[in-house]
């Protein structure tokens, strides 16, 4: 099982999204890549990434993941939608402890870029993305 956050984890996540028929249905109409950024990591991850904040772009298009771009330093990346959260908050969302839309409203998941109202039109897709991430796991 790939460890979160890593290129391998992001690629496995993309593959799992493509095997989820519920995500395929609920993601129809979403046509924008999303950059997921990880902040405030445990010391061993901070050291691994040299103090930089890793992240990845999922190229999402109508219920499919068309690819992944990995960044050891997510400050070098851009996408129409950017979501950032601390490592611990991402784990809470991935594990299902926190609903992703609730996490956005509580500013645990920060919408750094993108239209909030567009995100809120896809609540089922967001939940399916979390269920898919749970299948990938975190370690």
């Amino acid at each position: 099982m790939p460890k979160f956050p890593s290129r391998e984890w992001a690629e496995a996540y993309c593959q799992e999204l493509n095997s989820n028929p519920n995500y395929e249905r609920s993601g129809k109409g979403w046509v924008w890549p999303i950059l997921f950024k990880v902040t405030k990591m445990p010391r061993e991850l901070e050291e691994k990434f040299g103090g930089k904040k890793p992240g990845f772009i999922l190229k999402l298009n109508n219920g499919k993941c068309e690819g992944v771009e990995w960044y050891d330093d997510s400050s070098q990346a851009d996408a129409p939608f950017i979501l950032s959260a601390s490592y611990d908050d991402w784990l809470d969302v991935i594990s299902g402890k926190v609903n992703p839309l609730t996490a956005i409203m509580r500013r645990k998941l920060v919408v750094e870029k993108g239209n909030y109202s567009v995100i809120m039109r896809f609540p089922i897709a967001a939940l399916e993305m979390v269920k898919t991430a749970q299948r990938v796991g975190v370690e």
Side-chain angles (χ1 to χ4, degrees):
M1 175 185 316
K3 185 167 174 61
F4 177 86
S6 67
R7 177 187 307 273
E8 296 77 18
W9 190 93
E11 289 171 350
Y13 183 41
C14 183
Q15 290 173 355
E16 284 294 322
L17 282 170
N18 287 333
S19 68
N20 181 339
N22 294 327
Y23 173 70
E24 183 176 8
R25 279 189 297 279
S26 61
K28 293 281 187 214
W30 184 274
V31 295
W32 305 277
I34 303 173
L35 170 59
F36 297 88
K37 296 168 72 173
V38 183
T39 64
K40 299 179 190 163
M41 297 177 292
R43 184 175 21 199
E44 67 272 6
L45 287 175
E46 289 282 348
E47 290 172 2
K48 175 182 177 182
F49 292 105
K52 297 180 175 121
K53 308 304 179 211
F56 58 93
I57 293 174
L58 288 183
K59 298 175 184 177
L60 302 176
N61 187 4
N62 284 304
K64 289 291 183 188
C65 180
E66 297 179 336
V68 172
E69 291 178 15
W70 172 260
Y71 297 88
D72 284 343
D73 179 3
S74 61
S75 70
Q76 303 300 310
D78 191 28
F81 286 83
I82 300 175
L83 298 177
S84 68
S86 72
Y87 175 81
D88 289 338
D89 288 333
W90 276 123
L91 293 187
D92 285 348
V93 170
I94 291 169
S95 71
K97 290 180 186 174
V98 178
N99 175 297
L101 300 177
T102 301
I104 288 171
M105 290 187 292
R106 292 185 179 160
R107 307 246 337 127
K108 295 288 186 178
L109 267 178
V110 178
V111 179
E112 289 186 14
K113 183 178 176 186
N115 189 318
Y116 180 78
S117 64
V118 171
I119 293 170
M120 298 310 278
R121 289 195 322 243
F122 293 89
I124 296 170
L127 292 174
E128 286 302 323
M129 289 180 78
V130 168
K131 289 177 186 176
T132 302
Q134 289 170 348
R135 289 201 305 261
V136 176
V138 292
E139 296 189 273

